[in-house]
Amino acid sequence: MEQVSSPVDAVADNQEHDAAGSTALKKVFVKTYGCQMNVYDSERMEDALTQDGYVKTDDINDADLVLLNTCHIREKAAEKVYSAVGRIRKIKEKHAKQGRQVTIGITGCVAQAEGKEIMRRAPAVDLVAGPQTYHDISKMVARAEKGERVISTEFEIEEKFAKLPAPTKKQTIARGLAAFLTVQEGCDKFCTFCVVPYTRGAEVSRSVNQILDEANRLADAGVKEVTLLGQNVNAWHGSLDGQKWNLGELLYRLSDIDGIERLRYTTSHPIDMEQSLIDAHRDLPKLMPYLHLPVQAGSDRILKAMNRHHTKDQYLQIIERVRQARDDMAISGDFIVGFPGETEEDFEETLDVIRQVKYASAFSFKYSPRPGTPGADLDHQVSDEVASERLTRLQALLREQMTEFNQSCVGKEIDLLIEKRGKREGQVLGRSPWLQTVVVSGDASEISKTLRVKVSEAGPASLNAVRI
Ligand code: SAH
Ligand code: SF4
Ligand code: F3S
């Protein structure tokens, strides 16, 4: 799940700022952990900092400011932060001996959940900022640089989106043809295993106008594929001209924007799978035939204990309806094994869901008890040994299905949006409608074009295709 933020054209931005007459530019290095919402937030923070005189660097050893945008979802994710801080502290000490100041900031969900503890455990950290405070990132950094230890974990989500600066056209272009657009943040579902409602706060939807403005700006900068983001993206709701909209209506409207060729959205919750969203899959060619719909578990007893608000059959019926709307839908999911009280029979129900749905892709995890969530206090925690054994079986089944899905694509003709050069000379890459990487012969001049290709071969990590 870990993702690293993409490099930005630091040299070009540097010149832009020099021309504006600012003095020596400081360098910021941002490392992003966790979900795509963090990737989006990291980009917005980079936009704010570069507009306030920083340039981006991809070399941590050369940075004046290091931001770790963190994830708290599982124990391992949170522990990574402390080991990363240990490594950066050494860089900070080395630079200090040469009279160069390095400021360390922790942002994201670990900052929100454990801000005070970070400050106590890691004296090298200068700044702790939760996900709803990023509109103030430049000011907070400036205070930290003056020697103050800054901690900010308030919830002011409307402020965040209203005040974060938009990227310049140049910044957007440098990030490539596919962009994320956060439309909804936070969660009111309170699944008993999950920290997100505590780290991201209550569900908040951005306004239709804010979203359309941002989408038009992306299209204007040449972005061709937009992925709408939210912890519960399909819980997004808004209104325009007195009419209530949900995600389906929003997608119809976004589909009218010239230049945007592909739309995606993630992550959805089964109970918010409204009919208009399913209809959008039937009606909108730009909406890619891919649905990430986590189920977590297959047993009704465990689903209830997880507070998921639906049964196994209801989930299967939703998948059925989605496939009726568009028969080439690829389904992906998230699974947790070893939730407290999970028996072998319960686990078999999860395998049964997988067998019935036939997933194209999936993320699967051992249950990790998170401090402060109801799940952590439940009796009958499953032993690590049993959970590991179940995870191995579940992943073997999912791997089989993924291979089968990739094989089933061989012979299909698809539109391929060429996004970048391939690893080998004379190859370019794009993604299929079902999110697989597709390799085809071609050269860099074809980047941003959409080619009609036929899938010729399925490898373990990508598809090969030939032009038609
Ligand atoms: N909002 C999304 C998921 C957010 S977290 C949803 O409702 O589906 C991403 C995934 O991490 C979850 O789908 C779940 O599979 C996993 N996850 C969350 N908390 C976890 C925990 N305590 N232990 C193990 N996996 C967890
Ligand atoms: Fe977490 Fe559940 Fe909310 Fe998803 S819906 S973010 S799993 S509490
Ligand atoms: Fe992790 Fe926070 Fe996303 S806990 S998964 S970074 S919402």
Side-chain angles (χ1 to χ4, degrees), residues 1 33-38 69-74 77 108-110 131 185 195-196 199-200 231:
M1 287 270 282
Y33 302 84
C35 65
Q36 287 129 323
M37 315 254 330
N38 262 8
N69 196 12
T70 62
C71 174
H72 199 243
I73 201 83
R74 285 168 291 276
C109 293
V110 180
E185 183 155 7
V195 292
V196 170
T199 62
R200 293 274 172 170
Q231 263 91 26

Side-chain angles (χ1 to χ4, degrees), residues 8 64 68 79 90 106 113 154 165 169 186 224 232 235 253 256 363 365 381 392 400 422 458 464:
V8 170
D64 304 284
L68 303 181
E79 277 307 317
K90 297 209 176 91
I106 309 295
E154 297 84 43
K169 198 163 173 177
K224 301 213 160 162
N232 283 280
R253 179 63 190 79
D256 289 338
F363 295 104
F365 315 97
Q381 300 278 336
T392 306
E400 240 172 66
N464 291 331

Side-chain angles (χ1 to χ4, degrees), residues 187 189-191 193-194 196-197 231-232 269 296 308:
C187 182
K189 301 278 192 297
F190 290 93
C191 300
F193 52 81
C194 185
V196 170
Q231 263 91 26
N232 283 280
H269 192 291
Q296 316 298 356
R308 290 290 291 181

Side-chain angles (χ1 to χ4, degrees), residues 241-306:
D241 304 331
Q243 279 199 304
K244 292 219 176 307
W245 285 21
N246 56 31
L247 192 70
E249 279 85 37
L250 182 65
L251 283 163
Y252 280 88
R253 179 63 190 79
L254 288 169
S255 168
D256 289 338
I257 297 179
D258 285 339
I260 294 180
E261 292 176 11
R262 292 174 155 201
L263 291 165
R264 303 179 187 275
Y265 58 95
T266 198
T267 293
S268 300
H269 192 291
I271 64 169
D272 294 316
M273 229 33 232
E274 307 266 348
Q275 191 57 42
S276 66
L277 179 54
I278 298 179
D279 291 346
H281 275 291
R282 181 194 60 204
D283 296 340
L284 303 176
K286 288 184 182 179
L287 182 56
M288 291 295 104
Y290 190 96
L291 173 63
H292 182 62
L293 196 65
V295 66
Q296 316 298 356
S299 138
D300 287 345
R301 210 173 59 81
I302 296 296
L303 285 168
K304 192 157 197 285
M306 286 177 162

